[in-house]
Amino acid sequence: MASHFARRLIRRPVAAFFLLRSYGHTRQITHYILPGDSVCTKPLREVLEFFPRSSHYKLWSRSFSFENGDLVDAVVPFMGESITDGTLATFLKKPGDRVEVDEPIAQIETDKVTIDVASPEAGFIQKFTAKEGDTVTPGTRVAVISKSAPTDTHVAPSDETVSKDTPPAIPVEKKIETQVPQVETPVKEKPKAPSLPTPKTSPSEPQLPPKERERRVPMPRLRKRVATRLKDSQNTFALLTTFNEVDMTNLMKLRSEYKDAFVEKHGVKLGLMSGFIKAAVSGLQNQPIINAVIDGDDIIYRDYIDISIAVGTPKGLVVPVIRNADGMNFAEIEKEINTLAKKANNGTISIDEMAGGTFTISNGGVYGSLLSTPIINPPQSAILGMHSIVSRPMVVDGSIIPRPMMYIALTYDHRLIDGREAVFFLRRIKDVVEDPRRLLLDL
């Protein structure tokens, strides 16, 4: 009975094929009945060679059994508590490239940082499922990774068969039609209207440059975020700036005398920023209102001091935070500044390292700025601006001598901070920088 049933299946290959498929995926079936009631345990692709090349069953079986099962998706990772989406900035790889586990294949640009999309498995990039410039959310599929090596695409046997077995087309004889010559009627030309003189361009008209010399690029998300926050700062805060100047002689002398010993002991260079941070900590402790913030109808006084440092990077301005700066010494501050600055420049800084901050210091002097009015970084209430050091003639003890001078500026929210507190704070910065010994004596 079984042999009779098998012979009937052999005479109906299509029915046999779908019957085998009903017991599981063809790739998992290991026994096949062949002509002569024999049983075969070879893989299905070898069994299919039994059918002639011109058979259509082979084409059908190829389409049903072609399933790799080794494809994995690369998705957008979690980007932070306050970030819900980002822009697919660029692909670091191309389709067909080899990737390793956790190797970055794309970069997502958010409002604050740039996040890498890593490959979940080692393999080859089969295709990208998103485009550069798309807005993506955590969990969005970006690429498909194949764990096996890519294979060359071949023409299906059925296609080759059709091209070989198709008889040549029989040429169709063209019918010769007798054409009757047509006599063309001459067309009378209409009289031309008198030409009007071309109006001359007025010399006063502005000559705009051609559009070919302009480039339009989408604004990065980081730049959009900075623009929004700073404009909100202008619209919300009552901004006012007060200025002072600082004699940098003593701080620069301190740095010059102890720079070698400082590097030898702490492994980091002694800079001017650590001196200003220590001075800002002292000023915030003397004027705690500048470290406070308005929240609705309340004032929140902070009993901790987290100093934000504005860092300019090729992708835009970022503001990493030095936590608990009031409990750090010069060496600890310098080490933290170097670590955060390196992360900011190579794009590896995290969102947590930029969150918070009670007061910001911006050093425009590294770019040559002589004087500026910095804008507050919300939700803080003040920001200190440093500028370039310029040798200027100053009157010291009745004599005019050259001194390295720096202008400093404090922009503050006048809704919360009065001019008295702002001037006292800036004066404290000046006193500590000009005489760092005050920090030792707590004066």
Side-chain angles (χ1 to χ4, degrees):
M1 179 68 181
S3 61
H4 176 68
F5 180 69
R7 284 193 295 271
R8 293 184 60 187
L9 290 178
I10 292 172
R11 289 194 296 269
R12 297 175 175 82
V14 177
F17 181 79
F18 283 100
L19 179 63
L20 292 175
R21 280 183 54 83
S22 65
Y23 287 96
H25 197 281
T26 56
R27 193 174 51 162
Q28 300 172 350
I29 295 176
T30 58
H31 295 77
Y32 305 95
I33 304 174
L34 298 178
D37 297 344
S38 61
V39 178
C40 177
T41 60
K42 295 182 179 180
L44 178 61
R45 61 177 180 271
E46 298 183 14
V47 175
L48 293 176
E49 296 297 333
F50 168 76
F51 294 98
R53 287 180 60 87
S54 61
S55 173
H56 297 287
Y57 308 133
K58 185 175 181 179
L59 177 63
W60 295 347
S61 63
R62 280 169 57 93
S63 62
F64 282 115
S65 62
F66 184 76
E67 180 177 347
N68 292 330
D70 62 346
L71 302 180
V72 292
D73 296 335
V75 299
V76 177
F78 176 72
M79 297 183 289
E81 294 291 342
S82 60
I83 299 179
T84 58
D85 60 7
T87 301
L88 182 56
T90 181
F91 286 110
L92 305 177
K93 299 289 183 178
K94 297 182 295 184
D97 287 354
R98 169 76 182 180
V99 292
E100 302 298 334
V101 179
D102 296 332
E103 183 178 358
I105 62 176
Q107 287 185 335
I108 306 298
E109 190 178 77
T110 67
D111 298 342
K112 300 179 179 179
V113 294
T114 299
I115 299 173
D116 292 334
V117 178
S119 174
E121 298 285 347
F124 296 85
I125 298 179
Q126 188 183 72
K127 63 177 180 179
F128 292 129
T129 57
K131 298 182 297 182
E132 293 183 356
D134 289 353
T135 300
V136 293
T137 57
T140 302
R141 187 175 67 169
V142 172
V144 178
I145 309 298
S146 175
K147 292 183 286 187
S148 60
T151 57
D152 296 335
T153 305
H154 298 284
V155 181
S158 59
D159 298 340
E160 298 177 0
T161 305
V162 172
S163 60
K164 292 181 179 180
D165 298 342
T166 303
I170 302 175
V172 180
E173 296 182 358
K174 297 182 180 180
K175 296 182 179 180
I176 302 175
E177 298 180 358
T178 57
Q179 298 180 354
V180 180
Q182 299 179 356
V183 179
E184 296 182 359
T185 305
V187 180
K188 296 182 179 179
E189 295 183 358
K190 297 181 179 180
K192 296 182 180 179
S195 58
L196 299 177
T198 305
K200 296 182 180 180
T201 305
S202 174
S204 61
E205 291 185 7
Q207 299 297 324
L208 300 179
K211 295 296 183 180
E212 292 78 9
R213 298 176 60 185
E214 299 178 351
R215 291 184 298 113
R216 183 186 294 270
V217 295
M219 182 181 292
R221 293 179 66 94
L222 179 59
R223 176 53 54 190
K224 289 181 181 179
R225 183 61 175 172
V226 171
T228 301
R229 288 178 61 86
L230 296 184
K231 188 57 182 175
D232 290 343
S233 176
Q234 283 187 328
N235 296 338
T236 304
F237 297 162
L239 300 178
L240 189 62
T241 305
T242 183
F243 302 92
N244 212 321
E245 59 180 356
V246 179
D247 188 347
M248 300 292 295
T249 301
N250 291 331
L251 184 60
M252 295 177 66
K253 182 179 179 181
L254 177 69
R255 177 189 181 191
S256 176
E257 290 180 355
Y258 295 100
K259 63 179 181 179
D260 295 335
F262 193 86
V263 172
E264 183 179 354
K265 181 176 181 179
H266 301 290
V268 64
K269 294 181 179 180
L270 178 61
L272 299 179
M273 181 61 75
S274 57
F276 274 90
I277 291 178
K278 294 295 289 185
V281 169
S282 178
L284 293 173
Q285 290 173 341
N286 290 346
Q287 303 293 331
I289 190 63
I290 297 180
N291 201 45
V293 65
I294 295 178
D295 185 18
D297 295 331
D298 300 328
I299 299 176
I300 299 177
Y301 287 90
R302 295 148 168 168
D303 297 330
Y304 59 93
I305 298 177
D306 291 346
I307 303 294
S308 303
I309 305 296
V311 179
T313 67
K315 293 185 178 180
L317 181 69
V318 296
V319 191
V321 180
I322 299 176
R323 309 286 180 187
N324 301 315
D326 50 329
M328 303 173 69
N329 56 29
F330 280 80
E332 292 171 339
I333 292 175
E334 290 292 349
K335 291 178 182 178
E336 188 68 10
I337 291 175
N338 288 346
T339 301
L340 294 175
K342 289 179 181 179
K343 289 184 178 181
N345 285 314
N346 58 28
T348 59
I349 191 169
S350 65
I351 299 174
D352 294 336
E353 292 172 321
M354 295 189 296
T358 61
F359 183 78
T360 298
I361 298 178
S362 176
N363 186 9
V366 296
Y367 307 112
S369 173
L370 180 63
L371 192 62
S372 68
T373 56
I375 300 178
I376 296 175
N377 180 27
Q380 300 173 14
S381 299
I383 179 174
L384 175 67
M386 298 170 54
H387 301 91
S388 60
I389 301 174
V390 179
S391 181
R392 295 201 301 271
M394 305 296 295
V395 178
V396 180
D397 297 332
S399 301
I400 299 176
I401 59 176
R403 288 286 193 174
M405 303 299 295
M406 174 192 289
Y407 289 120
I408 56 176
L410 178 72
T411 299
Y412 57 97
D413 186 0
H414 209 348
R415 301 177 305 165
L416 177 66
I417 304 170
D418 293 331
R420 174 179 175 271
E421 287 83 5
V423 172
F424 281 172
F425 173 84
L426 209 57
R427 181 70 190 186
R428 181 61 181 175
I429 298 288
K430 174 182 174 66
D431 292 341
V432 172
V433 172
E434 290 185 346
D435 190 2
R437 294 175 297 180
R438 289 177 176 270
L439 295 176
L440 298 176
L441 302 176
D442 192 18
L443 296 176

